[in-house]
Amino acid sequence: MASGHSVTIESDAGKTAGFLDSAYEEAGASIAKDAASAVQGADIVFKVRGPEEDEIAALPDGTALIALMEPFAMDPKVLAGLNAKKIAALSMEFTPRITRAQSMDALSSQSNLSGYRAVIEGAQIYGRAMPMMMTAAGTVAPAKVFVMGAGVAGLQAIATARRLGGVVTATDVRPAAKEQVASLGAKFIAVEDDEFKAAETAGGYAKQMSPEYQAKQAELTASHIAKQDIVVTTALIPGRAAPVLITEDMVKSMKPGSVIVDMAVAQGGNCPLSKPDEIVDVGGVKVAGFSNLPARLPADSSSLYAKNLLAFLPLVTAEDGSLNLDTDDEVVVAMLLTRGGDTVNERIQS
Ligand code: NAD
């Protein structure tokens, strides 16, 4: 390969994304018949998801494993297995939100695609057109779209809904979101009290809001939701269950035919009625939960994730290409979960 490494890939790993084994071979990679043979002798293993317990045996001792490890939901047996083999596991979810690490930030690359896809899925389920159409046969009103949570996914959802002709409003608990929402041409709706003004961590994530704030927020959004055609919820708090933003009563207040797309369904959901990978009909309101939206754009999600991994490679290799974890680098420190038989990340040591 251009960087001097030898690369082996599991056969058919890219097939469903439209990348055939022959394309990897042309690019200089070897194809192994299965995952266990692909990782044999590897110094560095790149994966999409963290390993299942039964996959750990095949990993070489002392290898560096870089994947979306779901660090807050890790099976203790997997953690023990990684430590038993002295594997240095690095979690892509813990990429710090600093400028230098932006190219490695897989949560951002995948959230962006998910936000786009959530609106496309919502538009598909919605039984009406999204843009305003003035025709000889009458006028079609534009769809009212409300995006809850205006992080990376939410901002892309806003942009996508606007492109499709929706009239878009959005909310978030982080004050920084207000300007970003407005810059995309959407209206910002939030309870802007003192708690709101302090509701962002140094890492740029949302804080868990107090029950009092959540009650005020619910009151404000309840009347707004009743008038919406499509609601996309994206609200997440790292390491915690997703906050409930749409109650059963709010769902019932919506018009039949309207749609909720709950992007947080895999983290417990922003709406208690959503179910992973189902469209639940609540009196004509469709509540859709997609647990893996990037998988609905496999070519783009794979390409961007691969770029994230590639950007990370210099931080785990020396100039001659050999494995060399730079444990003085703040990016490596933030992402490293296990090393030399110990769990070394304080965010998962509890
Ligand atoms: P996320 O996926 O963790 O959460 C999604 C959104 O939900 C966030 O905007 C969050 O504030 C919001 N939210 C949480 N609780 C809520 C509630 N009760 N009501 C409404 N909204 C709620 O967030 P994210 O997409 O990862 O982005 C978080 C921030 O980090 C953004 O400002 C983003 O621009 C920033 N960011 C920075 C970098 C970088 O500098 N390298 C990279 C990526 C993201």
Side-chain angles (χ1 to χ4, degrees):
M1 310 300 293
S3 53
H5 301 286
S6 77
V7 178
T8 306
I9 182 158
E10 175 189 1
S11 179
D12 284 344
K15 195 173 170 192
T16 48
F19 303 118
L20 302 182
D21 286 354
S22 53
Y24 296 105
E25 280 175 318
E26 269 166 43
S30 318
I31 308 295
K33 66 174 179 359
D34 53 28
S37 348
V39 299
Q40 250 177 44
D43 296 313
I44 302 170
V45 175
F46 289 125
K47 250 178 130 289
V48 176
R49 294 188 183 275
E52 300 289 330
E53 197 189 345
D54 60 0
E55 288 177 307
I56 295 176
L59 293 170
D61 286 10
T63 196
L65 170 69
I66 303 162
L68 289 159
M69 300 289 295
E70 295 191 54
F72 292 120
M74 265 178 94
D75 180 346
K77 286 189 203 138
V78 168
L79 206 50
L82 293 170
N83 279 329
K85 300 201 88 179
K86 295 193 167 40
I87 289 168
L90 293 119
S91 171
M92 290 298 283
E93 290 94 333
F94 281 174
T95 308
R97 256 96 199 259
I98 55 174
T99 309
R100 184 167 63 89
Q102 263 176 352
S103 57
M104 307 164 203
D105 190 343
L107 285 189
S108 291
S109 70
Q110 304 304 303
S111 293
N112 177 50
L113 293 169
S114 299
Y116 159 80
R117 189 70 195 199
V119 173
I120 300 296
E121 298 288 349
Q124 170 92 5
I125 299 164
Y126 184 52
R128 294 168 184 263
M130 279 191 61
M132 182 165 87
M133 294 185 201
M134 293 172 85
T135 79
T139 300
V140 174
K144 293 193 188 80
V145 181
F146 183 36
V147 177
M148 304 186 79
V152 179
L155 292 174
Q156 185 55 257
I158 294 169
T160 305
R162 293 260 303 149
R163 277 184 223 123
L164 290 176
V167 174
V168 185
T169 50
T171 188
D172 201 294
V173 291
R174 289 176 305 103
K178 184 177 179 177
E179 206 177 301
Q180 292 161 352
V181 166
S183 74
L184 290 171
K187 192 172 168 218
F188 191 68
I189 292 176
V191 176
E192 298 184 36
D193 62 5
D194 287 345
E195 186 176 349
F196 171 82
K197 287 177 190 136
E200 184 161 329
T201 65
Y205 287 107
K207 283 187 183 158
Q208 170 92 349
M209 302 305 275
S210 68
E212 294 74 35
Y213 183 91
Q214 291 199 23
K216 283 195 269 182
Q217 186 189 29
E219 200 180 316
L220 179 74
T221 49
S223 57
H224 186 65
I225 283 176
K227 295 179 230 137
Q228 300 305 306
D229 298 306
I230 299 177
V231 181
V232 178
T233 71
T234 78
L236 294 177
I237 311 285
R240 291 177 186 268
V244 171
L245 303 181
I246 305 184
T247 62
E248 189 169 345
D249 283 347
M250 291 185 202
V251 177
K252 289 183 175 152
S253 76
M254 293 177 76
K255 298 182 287 276
S258 49
V259 178
I260 296 169
V261 179
D262 188 346
M263 287 185 60
V265 72
Q267 284 80 27
N270 294 140
C271 175
L273 302 183
S274 67
K275 294 197 176 134
D277 305 311
E278 278 187 38
I279 300 173
V280 181
D281 190 315
V282 185
V285 179
K286 307 277 192 318
V287 185
F290 296 99
S291 63
N292 189 357
L293 282 161
R296 288 167 185 259
L297 291 164
D300 289 325
S301 57
S302 301
S303 298
L304 296 184
Y305 183 59
K307 292 258 174 63
N308 294 142
L309 294 174
L310 192 61
F312 189 62
L313 194 58
L315 301 189
V316 291
T317 48
E319 268 181 29
D320 67 358
S322 61
L323 175 64
N324 180 26
L325 275 182
D326 183 355
T327 46
D328 290 330
D329 189 303
E330 63 177 314
V331 178
V332 174
V333 173
M335 294 168 66
L336 202 54
L337 302 183
T338 59
R339 184 164 188 244
D342 295 317
T343 301
V344 292
N345 198 305
E346 60 188 27
R347 293 178 76 186
I348 61 165
Q349 285 166 333
S350 50

